[in-house]
Amino acid sequence: MTTVYNWQIGREMSYPHEERHPQWQFAFVFNPNRCIGCQTCTMACKSTWTFSKGQELMWWNNVETKPYGGYPQHWDAKLLTMLEEANPGGQVWDARKNDAEKQPYGVFNGLTIFEAAGKKPRPDFGPQQALGYLPTDDEWRAPNIHEDTATGDYFQKKGKDQYGGEAQLPEHKVWFFHLARICNHCTYPGCLASCPRNAIYKRPEDGVVLIDQSRCRGYRNCVEGCPYKKAMYRPTTRTTEKCIACFPRLEGQDKEISPTGAPAETRCMSACVGKIRLQGLVKIEPDASWTHDPQNPLYYLVRRRQVALPLYPQFGTEPNGFYIPPRWVPRAYLIQMFGPGVDRAIEQYTCPDRELLAVLQLFRANRQIVFRYEIEEGEKVAEIEVTMPSGETKVQEIYNDTVIGYNKHQEEIVRVTIEEPTFERPAEAHVNSI
Ligand code: SF4
Ligand code: SF4
């Protein structure tokens, strides 16, 4: 066991593997407030990497409808229950102790999957390195189960109504949201820690977590040990496969997208219709902390503004996927999923200031990765009254600023204004113009 520092849980923890960190880390922000559940991302990934024999039930990218959907079914509820059983009443946060650098969401006082592993005896295969379970074939079979199924006030009045909920005028109290998921290319991966063959590794150049197919023997310990269930077994090859972060694109090898060899975003990110995805590479210090880099949009959203939060940080793997919590969902549900940073994140997203609004325009603005942004100030164009989560109203001032994004080679790749420009086509050239 090694003692490592996990900034997402605000403390040291034990990790059953030696500590080694990449120079850069693949990371992404998803904004479920904008996801329409169209599954374009899912099909973009499927048609690129998992269309072959034995991969039929394999979805490296999936979009599930929360709270009932899940791929595999109930993956999160099952693991949360196991953790609660291992540490009854103890899976709690202390959000009072926070510090932007070392513990931005406070301290998680419960057990991570690594710390809880010893609590579950496994006489059949010996001790687990990470608390987990192997989903059944049935649980993998319906990746989009409960699509668009809403719930009512179930999470407030437990047991009232399991599926459906209320829809009564004048106000609909039903809710659901789409949770898009890929492998989080975790800093302390549960899959890697669980592999007895040392077949799983993190690439030093970008932190992408890969499975060496020549070493894998298909024991499926990684399937058990990944809390997000993003390692998937392929029966035809008897090995496990997972998201590879489209690494040829990260390496700038797709000349169509990156003529100068600059890193590009993955297929699922590039295809996103709802513009909910922003992918990046963040610079990592030897002690695993993120290098202070405030003009990197990922650093800005995750570390400086804390508007995007990790998915189930309490699992302890330090996932590198971050989410802007959906505003309409009951807070208790969001806090168990994204930790105690939810209130602050929603407060900021509800009424973004000038800089945040500009950075949010970078989502899906270009297929190359934005490493640095700059903002050119524009004129004030509007004032909007915004109702905050507390019920108070605020006036949001909108400026027509321009955000400019640069790739790894410091070449300008995108320029977006806050106000969408309108173009009028000349009637003489386009007869169908109105
Ligand atoms: S999400 Fe799962 S498969 Fe991906 S790196 Fe983390 S533990 Fe491994
Ligand atoms: S393509 Fe984008 S909007 Fe559509 S389901 Fe995927 S993440 Fe959501």
Side-chain angles (χ1 to χ4, degrees):
M1 283 280 179
T2 314
T3 300
V4 297
Y5 190 80
N6 181 330
W7 63 266
Q8 295 181 2
I9 60 169
R11 65 171 171 84
E12 288 187 329
M13 64 168 204
S14 51
Y15 180 63
H17 211 270
E18 65 184 306
E19 190 166 14
R20 222 185 285 155
H21 298 290
Q23 292 169 310
W24 292 87
Q25 175 62 57
F26 168 92
F28 57 88
V29 171
F30 287 176
N31 183 359
N33 290 279
R34 301 185 60 151
C35 179
I36 54 173
C38 64
Q39 306 284 2
T40 312
C41 50
T42 307
M43 295 317 295
C45 176
K46 187 87 187 145
S47 59
T48 309
W49 300 113
T50 61
F51 54 80
S52 301
K53 228 177 177 174
Q55 295 179 310
E56 292 82 357
L57 301 182
M58 199 180 274
W59 302 88
W60 291 353
N61 179 105
N62 78 292
V63 183
E64 54 204 42
T65 302
K66 285 299 186 202
Y68 299 120
Y71 171 71
Q73 222 178 325
H74 310 309
W75 63 275
D76 47 354
K78 276 186 132 173
L79 186 57
L80 289 164
T81 306
M82 289 172 76
L83 284 162
E84 186 58 34
E85 283 167 3
N87 185 23
Q91 296 297 94
V92 290
W93 289 85
D94 182 354
R96 289 166 306 175
K97 298 182 194 155
N98 70 45
D99 161 80
E101 271 308 304
K102 297 297 273 183
Q103 38 196 215
Y105 321 123
V107 179
F108 178 59
N109 288 326
L111 298 179
T112 66
I113 56 165
F114 308 112
E115 293 160 341
K119 302 254 175 184
K120 192 184 171 235
R122 259 166 112 251
D124 46 349
F125 297 114
Q128 269 185 317
Q129 301 295 344
L131 186 73
Y133 71 97
L134 206 53
T136 63
D137 287 352
D138 272 354
E139 287 169 337
W140 287 112
R141 223 162 251 154
N144 206 10
I145 195 163
H146 299 306
E147 183 184 26
D148 293 0
T149 303
T151 183
D153 49 5
Y154 177 69
F155 287 93
Q156 261 96 13
K157 292 182 204 157
K158 234 175 158 196
K160 185 169 181 276
D161 176 15
Q162 211 190 348
Y163 298 107
E166 300 166 1
Q168 285 171 358
L169 293 174
E171 197 184 332
H172 286 199
K173 291 211 169 114
V174 290
W175 62 274
F176 68 83
F177 68 99
H178 299 296
L179 185 73
R181 300 201 301 117
I182 62 170
C183 164
N184 295 294
H185 297 277
C186 307
T187 302
Y188 304 112
C191 59
L192 185 153
S194 305
C195 178
R197 297 268 311 157
N198 279 336
I200 306 185
Y201 60 103
K202 251 180 113 58
R203 298 209 317 175
E205 61 268 45
D206 50 25
V208 168
V209 175
L210 296 178
I211 302 177
D212 180 342
Q213 294 292 301
S214 66
R215 289 198 62 77
C216 178
R217 292 288 178 274
Y219 300 154
R220 285 182 271 183
N221 293 46
C222 55
V223 182
E224 256 187 294
C226 167
Y228 302 95
K229 297 291 167 253
K230 281 295 174 191
M232 295 160 199
Y233 181 68
R234 181 171 178 179
T236 47
T237 56
R238 292 172 170 258
T239 56
T240 301
E241 296 179 3
K242 63 177 287 302
C243 158
I244 59 168
C246 296
F247 68 77
R249 284 195 173 205
L250 272 183
E251 292 167 358
Q253 288 188 39
D254 188 330
K255 295 294 171 220
E256 285 283 312
I257 302 171
S258 312
T260 60
E265 295 194 340
T266 61
R267 285 277 286 136
C268 60
M269 310 278 170
S270 306
C272 177
V273 173
K275 295 189 172 190
I276 83 147
R277 296 170 174 235
L278 184 69
Q279 184 203 314
L281 282 160
V282 290
K283 190 112 182 65
I284 300 294
E285 296 292 308
D287 68 353
S289 58
W290 288 26
T291 304
H292 183 71
D293 187 7
Q295 297 305 112
N296 178 316
L298 264 286
Y299 184 95
Y300 176 80
L301 293 167
V302 175
R303 302 309 306 269
R304 201 165 129 207
R305 301 301 299 264
Q306 297 167 25
V307 72
L309 305 169
L311 179 65
Y312 292 116
Q314 66 269 40
F315 289 165
T317 63
E318 213 184 276
N320 289 299
F322 300 87
Y323 292 79
I324 302 179
R327 288 185 294 161
W328 58 91
V329 174
R331 290 301 164 92
Y333 188 86
L334 292 177
I335 290 169
Q336 60 88 33
M337 182 171 264
F338 301 113
V342 167
D343 289 342
R344 183 189 150 97
I346 292 185
E347 183 86 11
Q348 297 189 78
Y349 185 69
T350 304
C351 187
D353 61 25
R354 207 165 161 174
E355 189 171 11
L356 180 55
L357 190 62
V359 174
L360 289 170
Q361 310 309 312
L362 291 171
F363 282 66
R364 293 284 11 88
N366 195 281
R367 287 182 293 178
Q368 287 186 33
I369 291 177
V370 177
F371 280 73
R372 181 173 66 85
Y373 72 87
E374 272 176 19
I375 297 172
E376 273 176 16
E377 294 198 340
E379 285 179 1
K380 184 165 161 179
V381 286
E383 278 187 0
I384 299 173
E385 196 176 275
V386 179
T387 306
M388 300 302 288
S390 63
E392 281 173 46
T393 53
K394 247 185 171 177
V395 175
Q396 183 184 10
E397 297 182 318
I398 313 261
Y399 294 84
N400 192 21
D401 295 338
T402 304
V403 60
I404 307 155
Y406 299 88
N407 68 11
K408 193 169 186 187
H409 305 324
Q410 298 304 322
E411 296 158 335
E412 180 181 319
I413 48 170
V414 66
R415 187 173 272 264
V416 196
T417 51
I418 298 289
E419 260 201 321
E420 199 166 344
T422 318
F423 301 101
E424 205 170 307
R425 298 194 299 178
E428 58 278 16
H430 303 278
V431 283
N432 62 348
S433 290
I434 49 169

